[in-house]
Amino acid sequence: MTVGQRIQQIRGSLGLSQEEFGERLEVTRQTVSKWELDQAIPEVQKIVMISKLFSVTTDSILVDGISTFDTDIWRDSFVCGVYRGENCEIVETERFLLVYGNDGRQEHFFAKCYKGFLERKKLCAVCERNQPGKETAYAYRTEGMEICSNSGALSEMLGEEFDRQQLKGMKRQYTFIINHEKEKLPAVSEAGVKKCLQSWRLGVKYAADPRQFSVNCVTDRTEYIFSIAPDRVNIYCGAAYNIPFELGMFGGGQYFRFRNLGENEEKWCGFYSNFNMQQPQVEIPVSECRTGECVLTSKGYIWSVKRYTDDLIVLQGCGMDEYTYRRDARKEEAFIF
């Protein structure tokens, strides 16, 4: 295989378009195309960036006969990524692991959160929904090690170590990299609303106290929410494709939803999953957007910009909700875009 063919193999395995691949490497789509057609060879700095960003060795890119995906770094080293099976999706960072799933019949839903470091993570929160019995159970452990729960059985599960055999047979959808350098994020005046929404959101926010357990994990493709509040058994676990653009955020589709509140009388409560759903390649209906409003367009929801400064962007959410993003928001982990 040529260098260009190996680059194309790496890009294809991650499900990235030439434009998306180029954005991460700070080059144009045309440059990526020339690499893959062997009309040009990447600079050494770009080879190093490809190796760092996509967890492959430089030799596997440059040297013919070395498999890009059979090298030790790809097969055996820890990788942050998203894994999907028929009835389950797992997203893993260096410090957190979220599992969303169902029993295949859409009668039993579950969501789990593990916390630790690299390969060693232990269960710190779990919630389950029995649809026929209309029963919702939860258990989580606070940072002070207090257990909040309405289920003795789930409470006993807390502290169990994640069995990495669960990843066997699951397809890795894509990988991402932790931003250990803690680079300063751009201001709105420097990069615009779209780029700031993309970069400011990336990472993991976490809180665990007697009032609420909350994890919000945003990769460059997917947003994961995991929230449990004991008051009235308020649970919201979801996975969605939310796409930033210059006027706000477009709801590209939620494919996992475990939403329980009290007696589930509110219309937004619901339980469903579709792990076959892929991020849609849609032209966002900008013409239907109305500044400062949440609009259900012909293709999905738009949460438009309500106000912003260099360091703050506020979108109008559904109902009375506002979605607030801050350049200096504290995160447990930040990701590279």
PDB file of all heavy atoms in Angstrom, residues 152-168:
ATOM      1  N   GLY A 152     -32.188  -1.477  46.334  1.00  0.00           N
ATOM      2  CA  GLY A 152     -31.111  -2.174  47.017  1.00  0.00           C
ATOM      3  C   GLY A 152     -30.265  -3.000  46.065  1.00  0.00           C
ATOM      4  O   GLY A 152     -29.042  -3.070  46.203  1.00  0.00           O
ATOM      5  N   ALA A 153     -30.908  -3.596  45.063  1.00  0.00           N
ATOM      6  CA  ALA A 153     -30.176  -4.428  44.111  1.00  0.00           C
ATOM      7  C   ALA A 153     -29.177  -3.609  43.311  1.00  0.00           C
ATOM      8  O   ALA A 153     -28.031  -4.025  43.090  1.00  0.00           O
ATOM      9  CB  ALA A 153     -31.151  -5.131  43.164  1.00  0.00           C
ATOM     10  N   LEU A 154     -29.595  -2.417  42.861  1.00  0.00           N
ATOM     11  CA  LEU A 154     -28.678  -1.573  42.099  1.00  0.00           C
ATOM     12  C   LEU A 154     -27.582  -0.999  43.003  1.00  0.00           C
ATOM     13  O   LEU A 154     -26.438  -0.834  42.563  1.00  0.00           O
ATOM     14  CB  LEU A 154     -29.435  -0.439  41.403  1.00  0.00           C
ATOM     15  CG  LEU A 154     -30.430  -0.847  40.318  1.00  0.00           C
ATOM     16  CD1 LEU A 154     -30.942   0.385  39.576  1.00  0.00           C
ATOM     17  CD2 LEU A 154     -29.816  -1.827  39.327  1.00  0.00           C
ATOM     18  N   SER A 155     -27.929  -0.720  44.248  1.00  0.00           N
ATOM     19  CA  SER A 155     -26.924  -0.204  45.183  1.00  0.00           C
ATOM     20  C   SER A 155     -25.781  -1.192  45.361  1.00  0.00           C
ATOM     21  O   SER A 155     -24.608  -0.800  45.470  1.00  0.00           O
ATOM     22  CB  SER A 155     -27.559   0.097  46.545  1.00  0.00           C
ATOM     23  OG  SER A 155     -28.526   1.123  46.440  1.00  0.00           O
ATOM     24  N   GLU A 156     -26.108  -2.472  45.384  1.00  0.00           N
ATOM     25  CA  GLU A 156     -25.082  -3.497  45.555  1.00  0.00           C
ATOM     26  C   GLU A 156     -24.153  -3.595  44.349  1.00  0.00           C
ATOM     27  O   GLU A 156     -23.029  -4.095  44.463  1.00  0.00           O
ATOM     28  CB  GLU A 156     -25.740  -4.856  45.812  1.00  0.00           C
ATOM     29  CG  GLU A 156     -26.462  -4.931  47.155  1.00  0.00           C
ATOM     30  CD  GLU A 156     -27.114  -6.280  47.379  1.00  0.00           C
ATOM     31  OE1 GLU A 156     -26.977  -7.148  46.479  1.00  0.00           O
ATOM     32  OE2 GLU A 156     -27.766  -6.465  48.427  1.00  0.00           O
ATOM     33  N   MET A 157     -24.600  -3.107  43.202  1.00  0.00           N
ATOM     34  CA  MET A 157     -23.771  -3.155  42.004  1.00  0.00           C
ATOM     35  C   MET A 157     -22.684  -2.088  42.004  1.00  0.00           C
ATOM     36  O   MET A 157     -21.669  -2.230  41.313  1.00  0.00           O
ATOM     37  CB  MET A 157     -24.641  -2.987  40.756  1.00  0.00           C
ATOM     38  CG  MET A 157     -25.603  -4.130  40.497  1.00  0.00           C
ATOM     39  SD  MET A 157     -26.794  -3.752  39.169  1.00  0.00           S
ATOM     40  CE  MET A 157     -25.698  -3.377  37.797  1.00  0.00           C
ATOM     41  N   LEU A 158     -22.899  -1.013  42.740  1.00  0.00           N
ATOM     42  CA  LEU A 158     -21.944   0.095  42.744  1.00  0.00           C
ATOM     43  C   LEU A 158     -20.564  -0.389  43.189  1.00  0.00           C
ATOM     44  O   LEU A 158     -20.438  -1.165  44.125  1.00  0.00           O
ATOM     45  CB  LEU A 158     -22.428   1.210  43.667  1.00  0.00           C
ATOM     46  CG  LEU A 158     -23.742   1.887  43.266  1.00  0.00           C
ATOM     47  CD1 LEU A 158     -24.145   2.928  44.302  1.00  0.00           C
ATOM     48  CD2 LEU A 158     -23.638   2.527  41.880  1.00  0.00           C
ATOM     49  N   GLY A 159     -19.550   0.058  42.494  1.00  0.00           N
ATOM     50  CA  GLY A 159     -18.187  -0.362  42.812  1.00  0.00           C
ATOM     51  C   GLY A 159     -17.690  -1.504  41.945  1.00  0.00           C
ATOM     52  O   GLY A 159     -16.490  -1.806  41.951  1.00  0.00           O
ATOM     53  N   GLU A 160     -18.599  -2.139  41.181  1.00  0.00           N
ATOM     54  CA  GLU A 160     -18.169  -3.221  40.291  1.00  0.00           C
ATOM     55  C   GLU A 160     -17.261  -2.661  39.196  1.00  0.00           C
ATOM     56  O   GLU A 160     -17.507  -1.586  38.649  1.00  0.00           O
ATOM     57  CB  GLU A 160     -19.380  -3.897  39.645  1.00  0.00           C
ATOM     58  CG  GLU A 160     -20.243  -4.690  40.603  1.00  0.00           C
ATOM     59  CD  GLU A 160     -21.404  -5.381  39.913  1.00  0.00           C
ATOM     60  OE1 GLU A 160     -21.604  -5.129  38.701  1.00  0.00           O
ATOM     61  OE2 GLU A 160     -22.124  -6.148  40.574  1.00  0.00           O
ATOM     62  N   GLU A 161     -16.221  -3.409  38.863  1.00  0.00           N
ATOM     63  CA  GLU A 161     -15.302  -2.965  37.830  1.00  0.00           C
ATOM     64  C   GLU A 161     -15.857  -3.303  36.448  1.00  0.00           C
ATOM     65  O   GLU A 161     -16.475  -4.354  36.248  1.00  0.00           O
ATOM     66  CB  GLU A 161     -13.939  -3.622  38.013  1.00  0.00           C
ATOM     67  CG  GLU A 161     -12.857  -3.048  37.100  1.00  0.00           C
ATOM     68  CD  GLU A 161     -11.456  -3.423  37.545  1.00  0.00           C
ATOM     69  OE1 GLU A 161     -11.219  -3.525  38.769  1.00  0.00           O
ATOM     70  OE2 GLU A 161     -10.600  -3.598  36.655  1.00  0.00           O
ATOM     71  N   PHE A 162     -15.643  -2.391  35.509  1.00  0.00           N
ATOM     72  CA  PHE A 162     -16.122  -2.623  34.150  1.00  0.00           C
ATOM     73  C   PHE A 162     -15.382  -3.802  33.528  1.00  0.00           C
ATOM     74  O   PHE A 162     -14.153  -3.879  33.564  1.00  0.00           O
ATOM     75  CB  PHE A 162     -15.905  -1.379  33.295  1.00  0.00           C
ATOM     76  CG  PHE A 162     -16.293  -1.572  31.848  1.00  0.00           C
ATOM     77  CD1 PHE A 162     -17.621  -1.728  31.492  1.00  0.00           C
ATOM     78  CD2 PHE A 162     -15.326  -1.610  30.858  1.00  0.00           C
ATOM     79  CE1 PHE A 162     -17.992  -1.921  30.165  1.00  0.00           C
ATOM     80  CE2 PHE A 162     -15.685  -1.796  29.527  1.00  0.00           C
ATOM     81  CZ  PHE A 162     -17.019  -1.949  29.181  1.00  0.00           C
ATOM     82  N   ASP A 163     -16.147  -4.721  32.972  1.00  0.00           N
ATOM     83  CA  ASP A 163     -15.593  -5.895  32.309  1.00  0.00           C
ATOM     84  C   ASP A 163     -15.280  -5.541  30.855  1.00  0.00           C
ATOM     85  O   ASP A 163     -16.180  -5.375  30.035  1.00  0.00           O
ATOM     86  CB  ASP A 163     -16.596  -7.047  32.363  1.00  0.00           C
ATOM     87  CG  ASP A 163     -16.076  -8.319  31.689  1.00  0.00           C
ATOM     88  OD1 ASP A 163     -14.896  -8.323  31.262  1.00  0.00           O
ATOM     89  OD2 ASP A 163     -16.843  -9.285  31.599  1.00  0.00           O
ATOM     90  N   ARG A 164     -14.009  -5.440  30.541  1.00  0.00           N
ATOM     91  CA  ARG A 164     -13.606  -4.993  29.214  1.00  0.00           C
ATOM     92  C   ARG A 164     -13.916  -6.006  28.115  1.00  0.00           C
ATOM     93  O   ARG A 164     -13.837  -5.697  26.929  1.00  0.00           O
ATOM     94  CB  ARG A 164     -12.127  -4.601  29.210  1.00  0.00           C
ATOM     95  CG  ARG A 164     -11.789  -3.554  30.271  1.00  0.00           C
ATOM     96  CD  ARG A 164     -10.494  -2.851  29.974  1.00  0.00           C
ATOM     97  NE  ARG A 164     -10.591  -1.993  28.802  1.00  0.00           N
ATOM     98  CZ  ARG A 164     -11.153  -0.782  28.781  1.00  0.00           C
ATOM     99  NH1 ARG A 164     -11.690  -0.270  29.890  1.00  0.00           N
ATOM    100  NH2 ARG A 164     -11.175  -0.073  27.692  1.00  0.00           N
ATOM    101  N   GLN A 165     -14.315  -7.216  28.514  1.00  0.00           N
ATOM    102  CA  GLN A 165     -14.749  -8.200  27.521  1.00  0.00           C
ATOM    103  C   GLN A 165     -16.019  -7.733  26.815  1.00  0.00           C
ATOM    104  O   GLN A 165     -16.340  -8.214  25.733  1.00  0.00           O
ATOM    105  CB  GLN A 165     -14.978  -9.557  28.185  1.00  0.00           C
ATOM    106  CG  GLN A 165     -13.708 -10.244  28.668  1.00  0.00           C
ATOM    107  CD  GLN A 165     -12.756 -10.560  27.519  1.00  0.00           C
ATOM    108  OE1 GLN A 165     -13.165 -11.085  26.484  1.00  0.00           O
ATOM    109  NE2 GLN A 165     -11.487 -10.231  27.699  1.00  0.00           N
ATOM    110  N   GLN A 166     -16.749  -6.796  27.437  1.00  0.00           N
ATOM    111  CA  GLN A 166     -17.961  -6.276  26.811  1.00  0.00           C
ATOM    112  C   GLN A 166     -17.666  -5.569  25.491  1.00  0.00           C
ATOM    113  O   GLN A 166     -18.538  -5.461  24.625  1.00  0.00           O
ATOM    114  CB  GLN A 166     -18.667  -5.303  27.757  1.00  0.00           C
ATOM    115  CG  GLN A 166     -19.242  -5.950  29.007  1.00  0.00           C
ATOM    116  CD  GLN A 166     -19.988  -4.962  29.871  1.00  0.00           C
ATOM    117  OE1 GLN A 166     -20.809  -4.188  29.375  1.00  0.00           O
ATOM    118  NE2 GLN A 166     -19.714  -4.965  31.164  1.00  0.00           N
ATOM    119  N   LEU A 167     -16.443  -5.089  25.336  1.00  0.00           N
ATOM    120  CA  LEU A 167     -16.079  -4.381  24.113  1.00  0.00           C
ATOM    121  C   LEU A 167     -15.786  -5.342  22.958  1.00  0.00           C
ATOM    122  O   LEU A 167     -15.773  -4.924  21.799  1.00  0.00           O
ATOM    123  CB  LEU A 167     -14.852  -3.493  24.357  1.00  0.00           C
ATOM    124  CG  LEU A 167     -15.041  -2.357  25.376  1.00  0.00           C
ATOM    125  CD1 LEU A 167     -13.727  -1.624  25.586  1.00  0.00           C
ATOM    126  CD2 LEU A 167     -16.120  -1.387  24.908  1.00  0.00           C
ATOM    127  N   LYS A 168     -15.548  -6.615  23.280  1.00  0.00           N
ATOM    128  CA  LYS A 168     -15.278  -7.594  22.243  1.00  0.00           C
ATOM    129  C   LYS A 168     -16.506  -7.746  21.340  1.00  0.00           C
ATOM    130  O   LYS A 168     -17.629  -7.921  21.811  1.00  0.00           O
ATOM    131  CB  LYS A 168     -14.926  -8.955  22.857  1.00  0.00           C
ATOM    132  CG  LYS A 168     -13.679  -8.948  23.733  1.00  0.00           C
ATOM    133  CD  LYS A 168     -12.415  -8.728  22.916  1.00  0.00           C
ATOM    134  CE  LYS A 168     -11.183  -8.849  23.806  1.00  0.00           C
ATOM    135  NZ  LYS A 168      -9.934  -8.618  23.044  1.00  0.00           N
TER     136      LYS A 168
END
